[in-house]
Amino acid sequence: QSNYTWLKNSITSARTKGIKHILVANHEPCLDISSKKYNRGGYAAVCEDVLNLLVAEKVDIMTSGSSHTYWRSKGLVHNATCSRVEVEAASPASCIVDVPNQKNYTKGAGMVQLQVGTGGTGGYGCVASGDPELALFYTGTCSAADGITILNIDGTSISGVQKLSTGAIHDSYTIAP
């Protein structure tokens, strides 16, 4: 509970200081579409609370790295018909903001979970069906190939690129007003 309060207060403090973009890093992904999902037990409930805090606070991006894959979520939101994004279960469709061309997010219109675990130990692969969390993601962005994610952040926008170790661009997107 004290860490949750600290996180909430840190987000509020950043906004008070005029910080335009809020990114939060978490070691384990709250939502996970890798083929090697962890048996998270009690962690899933705690992570669900943190995920929903970040959605409610309109954080721009939540990153994680432990699940050795790359993927990018659709915009995750709370509204009159979605009070909570579910972890390890199906969330209401109203929790999702689909973006034009699956690449152009509107700032403040939905948090993006970005999984960037594509270094170190070999990739786990991506779930193709049967996972209730799949609807929250652009599944075409899922990759187990080694690479890096580059975020360019300026006064108005965030642009991201997933670049494979071969030099090829696997994914790209923008969060802008």
Side-chain angles (χ1 to χ4, degrees), residues 114-139:
L114 189 59
Q115 172 62 29
V116 290
T118 54
T121 303
Y124 295 158
C126 307
V127 173
S129 64
D131 188 325
E133 294 176 349
L134 277 173
L136 302 174
F137 292 91
Y138 293 115
T139 55

Side-chain angles (χ1 to χ4, degrees), residues 46-104:
V46 171
C47 200
E48 186 171 298
D49 288 342
V50 170
L51 172 72
N52 280 286
L53 169 66
L54 302 181
V55 172
E57 294 293 324
K58 297 187 177 189
V59 164
D60 295 296
I61 296 175
M62 174 190 192
T63 65
S64 55
S66 182
S67 187
H68 292 251
T69 48
Y70 170 88
W71 65 77
R72 177 171 48 86
S73 75
K74 298 173 182 178
L76 306 176
V77 297
H78 289 161
N79 53 45
T81 57
C82 175
S83 62
R84 196 156 177 84
V85 177
E86 302 291 330
V87 171
E88 297 183 344
S91 295
S94 59
C95 294
I96 301 166
V97 175
D98 211 356
V99 299
N101 303 322
Q102 300 182 358
K103 294 188 177 284
N104 301 312

